[in-house]
Amino acid sequence: QVQLVESGGGLVQAGGSLRLSCAATGRTFSTYAMGWFRQAPGKEREFVATISGITSTTLYADSVKGRFTISRDNAKNTVYLQMNSLKAEDTAVYYCAAGYSNLAAIRFNSYRYWGQGTQVTVSS
């Protein structure tokens, strides 16, 4: 069983930055992929970024590429999402997720465990 706890959300002005953290407990953190997804009101949950286990290969949604950076610290069992140049359309609840395998994945059903989410609100 893996437990994921997100933190770092909040209210920020457009153009600002936030860093989200997701602390994991349970099985060997370094061996599985981690992902960030988000869900805005009235919209479906969408992929944001992923980082593979072992090699730390990263993938990003086009909407965040160049602005967001995903990283992981295996010694701390933590994955991060650094968000820069935030826009109003980035407003959403952000969820971290742990994958079934070490492969980076963009599909929702590639992830087995989910955190409770953290709210990010960007004011314009």
Side-chain angles (χ1 to χ4, degrees):
Q1 185 76 13
V2 174
Q3 293 182 331
L4 304 173
V5 178
E6 301 102 333
S7 61
L11 174 64
V12 64
Q13 288 188 335
S17 299
L18 281 175
R19 188 176 81 154
L20 305 184
S21 301
C22 174
T25 61
R27 60 188 175 104
T28 308
F29 177 77
S30 63
T31 63
Y32 50 91
M34 296 295 295
W36 286 97
F37 289 74
R38 66 187 181 186
Q39 188 166 19
K43 295 187 177 181
E44 294 186 350
R45 193 171 298 190
E46 66 173 0
F47 166 75
V48 175
T50 180
I51 185 166
S52 68
I54 302 173
T55 63
S56 294
T57 301
T58 59
L59 295 171
Y60 297 92
D62 288 343
S63 59
V64 307
K65 202 171 293 184
R67 299 188 298 123
F68 290 11
T69 302
I70 188 171
S71 61
R72 64 192 299 160
D73 185 338
N74 292 332
K76 295 182 178 180
N77 280 14
T78 301
V79 63
Y80 304 97
L81 185 68
Q82 178 67 44
M83 306 186 294
N84 299 328
S85 302
L86 283 161
K87 306 175 181 179
E89 51 263 43
D90 294 318
T91 295
V93 177
Y94 283 71
Y95 299 89
C96 74
Y100 285 97
S101 76
N102 66 295
L103 299 176
I106 65 173
R107 295 175 62 90
F108 178 89
N109 59 8
S110 297
Y111 292 86
R112 182 175 183 181
Y113 299 103
W114 293 82
Q116 81 289 351
T118 185
Q119 177 70 47
V120 171
T121 303
V122 184
S123 62
S124 57

